[in-house]
Amino acid sequence: MLKERLFCFPGMPAVWRVLLLWVCVCIWLPAQVHGALVVSRRDALTQESKDASDSRSIKKRSTNSANMVEVYSVTVDCTVTSRFAHTVMTSKALNKANTSQEIFFEVELPKTAFISNFSMRIDGQVYVGEVKEKEKAKKEYEKAVSSGQTAGLVKASGRKMEKFSVSVNIAAKSNVTFVLTYEELLQRKLGQYEILTRVKPKQPVQEFQIVADIYEPQGIAFVDATATFLTNELLSLVEKTVTDTKAHISFSPTLEQQRKCPGCEGTIIDGDFIIKYDVKREESLGDIQIVNGYFVHFFAPSDLPRVPKNVVFVIDRSGSMAGRKIAQTRDALKAILRDLHQEDHFALILFDSDIVTWRDSLTKATKENVAQAIAYVTKLRDKGATNMNDALLRAVRMLVRERDDGNLPQRSADMIILLTDGMPNHGVSDLKRIQDNVRSAIDGKMSLFCLGFGNDVAYSFLDVLSRENKGLARRIFEGSDATLQLQGFYEEVSSPLLLEVDLRYPDNAVDFLTKNHYNQLFNGSEIVVSGQLTNNDPDNFLVEVFAKGPEEDFLVQGKARVVNLDLIYPEKEYIFGNFSERLWAYLTIQQLLENSDIGSQQEKDSRTAKALDMSLRYSFVTPLTSMLVKKPETEDGPSGPLIADKLTEDQRQKAERHGGASGSHAARPHTQSNSPIRKAQMRRGSSRSSSNVDGDPHFMIELPERDDALCFNINDKPGTILNLVRDPKSGFVVNGQIIGKKKVVPDGKINTYFGRFGIIHGKLGVRLEVNTQDISVFYDGKQLNLLWSDAVSIKETNMDLSLTKNCSLTVTLRHSIQFEVIRHTKVWKRRRDHQDYLGFYTLDSHHLSASVHGLLGQFYHGVEFEVTDLRPGPHLENVDATMYVKGQTLNVTRHWQKDFSSRVKDGESIPCWFINNDGAGLIDGRASDYTVSGLFKTVF
């Protein structure tokens, strides 16, 4: 029995005692088609599950406990029909336990894809998501869900993906099947389509399969399939069958073939499965397909000569570009300049508070001129403010003057490429005024491409600025590959083949046409136009394409062909027959959304209304809609619904600024340092976050999905009270008071620890005061005083409390949080001295709201960061590195710190990246911002 335990071991929740099987499958395409599938299990915060967990022996990574939830099937089925990808991710799990379990399903999908269906099948009952207008869905959700409850959300995840996450409570011995479907039109980039499947199952899965079926009536030119993890033994398992118009690729290793070695629990499958393909392009008119009353025109003629370009590079060198950004910009510019063709013309404009030009006019890209420009760029240094308005207007005037003076080839492309990392703050700084000034100056005569470097840039402003001027914007993420990102973008736009491309169709034959005028066709890309037919004469459907080439006008015309899929693919009933209509709908919605912030207010409102109507009609989750999924009832009554949204780029950027981009990290505490770097031994469990503090006082943020951790110290004087957690929706607050070491060491350094915690849950009416001598519990009008020498188990309606003698206190607040307070006694035998202090460990925080904050709480929903430039530290046993987090660049050091949650007596050493100066740059604001006036202070 719990109250009879005499040994010291923490009341660790079953989630950390069960070795979870989780599977990640990613799909990536040049059009940012990614996907990641994660299925995991967490014990529901119910007394039954807690009793079961406490009755079992606690053994970390217990394989017996792992079998409580078995994920026995993970499949990814991708069907591509004429570039339109329809991806279905399915996972099946069985709860073998005698108690209910909470199972999580997470999928990472491309930010440009639309979720079109999600369902859960639980013991024969199917729960299907319903797409509704975003505001209506939000009101319905808020009405059904009590404040503070969590929901399945879509969160930004990295640069190109977003994470769809749901959880459901599964009864004992029950099955659950999760199915998610999303759709996207693949874009051709650099001459190919690419499908990358990222697989990280961590353990072998009974049924594991990746299948891709590619149907291209135009004809398949080539298909390649490989993987980063393929050994000679696994290579033969990649099956590829290619005919003229169809390709089938599959990878389905058996359970034993997935193992690293016979009998091993680990799997060799850990990396990227890659498919690349392109289609045949024999007709200069392109390929026009008519299917089920809709047509789609793919235009990317081969063997066209490139059009010379006249490009002005406008480079931000303000103070915010200091350090690595300016160095990466220099490297990228040098590589880009080397790639210029001799018939191109170019210019360089640098701006901070002032505007500086390399030369006053555009220069032909001869070897000598390029070499001189590279030498100039090498001296690029940061300084001053950001006068973006004047720099762009200078570039426009330069191109207009050169064009008027006849110094540029008549048939050539004029473009400006802007690189900036911040907001205009010198000269004209009003964003709308800058947009108006630039649009008026350009007047449709050239293209403007904007690159936003880092997380502080006003990307939505740059996006509109580009699209109003025949260009596009792209975010450049801070990191070791920023130079490659810059070069990659330039490569996409560096070789225009045609200018002012008009694709024309019979006026009386088509309706609801997508965009059919493009300013440029770049080498390796593709133009796609779609529409609905209004007559029954597809055999006389005439198509014309007009454009400007490098030497003469481009003109081609011809008739469309009706695609009879039954004849092309007679061996298989067509499984995606309405693809042409859904392709048209997807493309139309995307284009309406892209232009919903351009033009008059009436035009904006009209585009938004049309996009909303079509999103609802075709059940697409877009920025205007949400998907509601009603969950099954549990033993505690009805569950709140799940809600899935589509993020805008602004929302993604805000989430990244506040460290919530990943949405699936965990956190834990630490104590020691100065140890050699090694791979972290992470607890496998919830993909949600927890944050903890212990020691002098040390904080650790654990990220189990990345097998990594972050840590920092807070150094303050004894008596200071710091807010650790505050959730305004539930009223849950944790404050901690710092105490000093009993004896001050000779060097005068004061060692500090946490000696008191004040814990409140406003809605449940719970208050605890925990110090190193005793524990006071206030609940339901009653007060209970406990000593650490007691061994007690208390079970109330909304609170479970377990006190292990002289060891730890574990508290579960139902539908809210589970945490543990550990009491330490540190002894210095030589000094005949000892110190009592406390550690606070978050075991389960997933029920807390998204607005939770505090020194620990701000990390409950994850933190996005990148570590690069590993190098030897000043001490040989340490490794230093550069970290990019929350828009900051920090110098960090690899440390080891101790986690006592699983071994209270000795602790477990965990490697982490240590952030100096009280966590400055990692925590929001300064450490002093978290100081409060009282132990039970709840108003901030």
Side-chain angles (χ1 to χ4, degrees):
M1 297 293 292
L2 179 62
K3 61 183 180 182
E4 295 174 344
R5 290 191 302 177
L6 300 179
F7 58 89
C8 182
F9 211 98
M12 193 178 185
V15 60
W16 296 122
R17 281 181 276 156
V18 176
L19 178 60
L20 297 179
L21 177 62
W22 60 283
V23 178
C24 174
V25 178
C26 302
I27 298 206
W28 177 81
L29 304 122
Q32 290 82 52
V33 175
H34 306 251
L37 178 62
V38 178
V39 179
S40 60
R41 165 269 196 192
R42 176 187 293 130
D43 289 346
L45 293 182
T46 62
Q47 187 56 46
E48 289 79 9
S49 63
K50 189 174 188 303
D51 289 344
S53 70
D54 285 336
S55 67
R56 296 190 295 267
S57 62
I58 300 176
K59 183 178 180 182
K60 196 172 184 182
R61 300 180 182 273
S62 165
T63 55
N64 292 328
S65 298
N67 293 327
M68 301 306 290
V69 171
E70 178 189 1
V71 180
Y72 59 87
S73 175
V74 172
T75 62
V76 178
D77 189 352
C78 180
T79 302
V80 181
T81 308
S82 295
R83 288 62 141 190
F84 195 63
H86 175 95
T87 302
V88 181
M89 293 185 167
T90 306
S91 183
K92 300 177 182 180
L94 169 65
N95 176 18
K96 293 183 176 181
N98 294 319
T99 58
S100 63
Q101 310 290 328
E102 190 171 15
I103 298 179
F104 283 81
F105 173 81
E106 294 181 344
V107 172
E108 292 189 20
L109 63 152
K111 63 183 182 182
T112 49
F114 293 156
I115 293 173
S116 56
N117 186 50
F118 173 73
S119 66
M120 299 181 292
R121 177 183 290 272
I122 302 171
D123 285 344
Q125 182 71 38
V126 179
Y127 304 86
V128 181
E130 182 180 2
V131 176
K132 298 186 176 185
E133 183 180 354
K134 185 180 287 276
E135 288 304 313
K136 291 182 179 179
K138 183 179 179 182
K139 289 178 182 178
E140 183 174 334
Y141 167 74
E142 291 175 344
K143 182 180 179 181
V145 181
S146 61
S147 178
Q149 266 185 291
T150 60
L153 298 174
V154 174
K155 297 183 179 181
S157 180
R159 299 174 181 177
K160 302 173 182 178
M161 290 181 285
E162 52 198 26
K163 181 172 292 185
F164 172 83
S165 169
V166 301
S167 67
V168 62
N169 194 283
I170 302 300
K173 310 301 182 183
S174 295
N175 288 276
V176 59
T177 299
F178 298 101
V179 181
L180 182 95
T181 303
Y182 62 85
E183 299 171 46
E184 181 170 24
L185 177 63
L186 308 186
Q187 298 174 19
R188 183 172 184 252
K189 291 186 179 179
L190 303 177
Q192 63 186 11
Y193 310 96
E194 184 172 282
I195 303 172
L196 183 151
T197 306
R198 183 159 295 155
V199 285
K200 293 180 177 292
K202 298 299 180 184
Q203 286 190 10
V205 180
Q206 187 67 42
E207 181 190 22
F208 179 82
Q209 186 176 56
I210 301 170
V211 175
D213 285 299
I214 302 170
Y215 299 90
E216 291 289 355
Q218 189 173 341
I220 295 176
F222 73 88
V223 178
D224 291 327
T226 186
T228 59
F229 54 81
L230 284 183
T231 61
N232 291 333
E233 291 77 13
L234 290 179
L235 188 61
S236 61
L237 301 180
V238 179
E239 297 182 359
K240 182 176 71 171
T241 304
V242 183
T243 63
D244 184 47
T245 60
K246 178 187 174 183
H248 175 83
I249 301 96
S250 65
F251 178 65
S252 183
T254 66
L255 193 69
E256 292 304 315
Q257 288 168 334
Q258 297 172 47
R259 299 187 190 278
K260 286 186 176 180
C261 59
C264 294
E265 291 185 1
T267 175
I268 197 171
I269 299 174
D270 186 0
D272 298 334
F273 187 83
I274 305 161
I275 301 170
K276 297 180 180 181
Y277 84 94
D278 197 14
V279 299
K280 296 177 181 178
R281 303 180 187 277
E282 299 173 353
E283 301 292 335
S284 58
L285 179 64
D287 186 58
I288 306 102
Q289 300 175 15
I290 297 177
V291 181
N292 296 337
Y294 289 83
F295 84 90
V296 58
H297 183 188
F298 300 101
F299 180 70
S302 58
D303 301 325
L304 288 178
R306 61 182 301 279
V307 175
K309 63 180 179 295
N310 314 304
V311 56
V312 180
F313 299 98
V314 182
I315 308 301
D316 184 351
R317 64 168 186 180
S318 60
S320 58
M321 288 283 290
R324 199 163 188 224
K325 288 182 188 175
I326 204 76
Q328 291 175 322
T329 300
R330 282 197 301 265
D331 292 342
L333 273 175
K334 287 188 283 188
I336 289 170
L337 289 170
R338 291 190 188 99
D339 286 341
L340 288 170
H341 295 265
Q342 290 205 8
E343 63 270 25
D344 293 337
H345 289 72
F346 72 101
L348 296 168
I349 295 180
L350 312 180
F351 72 96
D352 44 71
S353 308
D354 302 317
I355 314 301
V356 178
T357 58
W358 172 52
R359 293 178 180 175
D360 293 334
S361 60
L362 277 83
T363 302
K364 195 168 185 180
T366 63
K367 289 184 179 180
E368 181 181 359
N369 288 334
V370 167
Q372 292 176 9
I374 290 174
Y376 178 78
V377 166
T378 303
K379 301 175 183 178
L380 181 62
R381 297 292 183 270
D382 58 276
K383 66 172 187 175
T386 307
N387 188 353
M388 185 186 301
N389 181 79
D390 290 353
L392 286 172
L393 295 182
R394 177 79 64 89
V396 175
R397 287 196 299 269
M398 184 182 290
L399 275 168
V400 170
R401 185 184 69 243
E402 293 290 285
R403 176 67 66 186
D404 290 344
D405 291 345
N407 297 329
L408 303 176
Q410 183 178 0
R411 291 180 176 271
S412 58
D414 297 342
M415 62 178 69
I416 299 170
I417 297 180
L418 167 70
L419 172 66
T420 182
D421 78 326
M423 296 281 287
N425 57 15
H426 189 83
V428 179
S429 57
D430 179 76
L431 302 184
K432 183 64 169 62
R433 186 178 166 193
I434 294 174
Q435 289 171 342
D436 292 343
N437 290 344
V438 174
R439 184 178 63 253
S440 176
I442 287 180
D443 194 26
K445 298 173 184 174
M446 60 197 70
S447 298
L448 171 61
F449 300 95
C450 296
L451 301 177
F453 203 151
N455 217 3
D456 296 324
V457 71
Y459 179 78
S460 58
F461 155 71
L462 296 180
D463 187 40
V464 172
L465 187 66
S466 296
R467 285 187 286 109
E468 286 183 332
N469 295 287
K470 302 165 61 172
L472 58 89
R474 185 74 56 84
R475 288 182 65 188
I476 302 299
F477 296 86
E478 293 185 54
S480 58
D481 66 338
T483 298
L484 296 177
Q485 292 178 63
L486 290 167
Q487 291 175 239
F489 172 82
Y490 174 76
E491 188 176 0
E492 289 180 38
V493 302
S494 63
S495 296
L497 302 179
L498 295 173
L499 306 178
E500 305 304 332
V501 184
D502 269 312
L503 302 101
R504 302 176 186 177
Y505 313 92
D507 292 336
N508 61 348
V510 298
D511 202 358
F512 304 111
L513 194 64
T514 62
K515 178 180 176 181
N516 65 326
H517 176 83
Y518 288 80
N519 301 303
Q520 308 97 355
L521 171 67
F522 295 107
N523 187 37
S525 67
E526 182 176 62
I527 290 175
V528 183
V529 182
S530 184
Q532 184 176 354
L533 297 183
T534 58
N535 62 25
N536 295 318
D537 191 19
D539 292 330
N540 294 311
F541 188 77
L542 182 67
V543 178
E544 298 176 305
V545 181
F546 298 88
K548 293 181 180 179
E551 298 176 356
E552 59 184 7
D553 288 343
F554 179 92
L555 171 61
V556 63
Q557 64 180 20
K559 292 183 179 180
R561 59 173 177 151
V562 179
V563 178
N564 191 329
L565 297 169
D566 293 332
L567 292 178
I568 298 176
Y569 308 110
E571 77 287 355
K572 186 175 183 181
E573 182 181 353
Y574 196 60
I575 59 175
F576 203 22
N578 63 343
F579 88 92
S580 58
E581 181 178 355
R582 296 190 69 81
L583 184 157
W584 165 80
Y586 173 92
L587 191 58
T588 300
I589 294 170
Q590 284 282 32
Q591 292 176 357
L592 287 170
L593 292 173
E594 286 174 1
N595 294 296
S596 61
D597 50 5
I598 292 178
S600 66
Q601 190 60 48
Q602 184 178 357
E603 290 172 328
K604 295 177 184 177
D605 293 343
S606 175
R607 293 177 187 132
T608 300
K610 290 178 182 177
L612 172 59
D613 179 67
M614 292 188 64
S615 299
L616 294 172
R617 192 189 320 164
Y618 290 93
S619 294
F620 283 142
V621 179
T622 71
L624 305 175
T625 57
S626 298
M627 177 177 283
L628 277 177
V629 184
K630 293 183 179 179
K631 297 169 65 174
E633 292 190 7
T634 66
E635 58 193 15
D636 295 322
S639 296
L642 304 161
I643 187 167
D645 294 321
K646 183 74 178 174
L647 301 179
T648 64
E649 196 63 38
D650 267 352
Q651 290 170 328
R652 292 176 61 87
Q653 194 174 14
K654 287 176 183 177
E656 291 162 13
R657 285 172 180 164
H658 292 87
S662 294
S664 61
H665 304 307
R668 74 159 77 150
H670 71 315
T671 358
Q672 295 184 2
S673 59
N674 301 323
S675 299
I677 182 172
R678 68 169 176 86
K679 183 175 177 63
Q681 299 293 323
M682 297 296 177
R683 295 180 298 194
R684 298 297 177 200
S686 156
S687 62
R688 303 280 177 166
S689 301
S690 63
S691 305
N692 316 294
V693 61
D694 205 343
D696 183 21
H698 305 296
F699 296 75
M700 183 181 286
I701 307 155
E702 183 186 333
L703 305 128
E705 287 188 354
R706 296 182 58 156
D707 271 357
D708 214 341
L710 310 178
C711 48
F712 61 95
N713 293 345
I714 296 292
N715 297 307
D716 214 320
K717 60 181 183 294
T720 301
I721 301 175
L722 298 172
N723 173 247
L724 304 181
V725 184
R726 64 176 184 274
D727 181 22
K729 290 193 175 181
S730 66
F732 180 72
V733 174
V734 181
N735 296 322
Q737 185 174 35
I738 293 176
I739 60 173
K741 189 177 176 183
K742 292 181 179 180
K743 291 185 180 181
V744 179
V745 293
D747 63 4
K749 180 182 177 182
I750 300 177
N751 294 87
T752 56
Y753 311 86
F754 276 112
R756 294 174 67 206
F757 290 123
I759 303 165
I760 304 170
H761 195 296
K763 289 201 170 182
L764 298 182
V766 175
R767 189 175 81 166
L768 293 89
E769 181 178 348
V770 185
N771 59 47
T772 56
Q773 283 77 43
D774 55 36
I775 301 159
S776 297
V777 183
F778 301 86
Y779 176 69
D780 198 21
K782 297 176 287 188
Q783 179 174 348
L784 178 65
N785 295 319
L786 303 172
L787 299 175
W788 280 102
S789 57
D790 295 331
V792 176
S793 177
I794 299 173
K795 303 173 183 178
E796 297 285 353
T797 303
N798 292 315
M799 180 185 73
D800 298 339
L801 183 148
S802 170
L803 177 60
T804 302
K805 183 177 180 180
N806 294 324
C807 187
S808 64
L809 170 72
T810 303
V811 178
T812 301
L813 301 178
R814 193 177 297 271
H815 297 312
S816 184
I817 192 169
Q818 186 178 55
F819 61 86
E820 181 180 37
V821 179
I822 296 178
R823 179 180 179 268
H824 301 275
T825 298
K826 190 172 184 177
V827 179
W828 293 271
K829 293 183 179 179
R830 292 185 178 180
R831 302 177 187 172
R832 297 180 180 179
D833 187 19
H834 74 278
Q835 177 72 51
D836 295 331
Y837 63 93
L838 303 174
F840 183 90
Y841 290 75
T842 308
L843 302 180
D844 187 345
S845 63
H846 84 281
H847 284 288
L848 295 182
S849 73
S851 56
V852 65
H853 208 263
L855 281 169
L856 301 181
Q858 64 187 282
F859 301 110
Y860 282 171
H861 295 293
V863 58
E864 179 80 359
F865 72 96
E866 181 176 355
V867 176
T868 60
D869 292 343
L870 273 66
R871 55 193 180 271
H875 303 288
L876 293 179
E877 66 271 21
N878 285 346
V879 173
D880 287 353
T882 300
M883 175 180 291
Y884 302 95
V885 60
K886 294 185 178 181
Q888 305 290 324
T889 302
L890 308 177
N891 291 320
V892 296
T893 303
R894 197 65 167 174
H895 279 194
W896 271 8
Q897 306 297 350
K898 279 204 171 180
D899 166 23
F900 293 91
S901 63
S902 58
R903 297 203 299 267
V904 172
K905 184 176 180 181
D906 301 316
E908 177 189 7
S909 293
I910 301 293
C912 62
W913 293 108
F914 183 80
I915 294 91
N916 286 302
N917 301 322
D918 292 343
L922 175 63
I923 64 172
D924 295 336
R926 299 169 299 179
S928 59
D929 296 337
Y930 299 85
T931 301
V932 294
S933 58
L935 194 63
F936 293 99
K937 179 74 172 178
T938 59
V939 180
F940 301 92

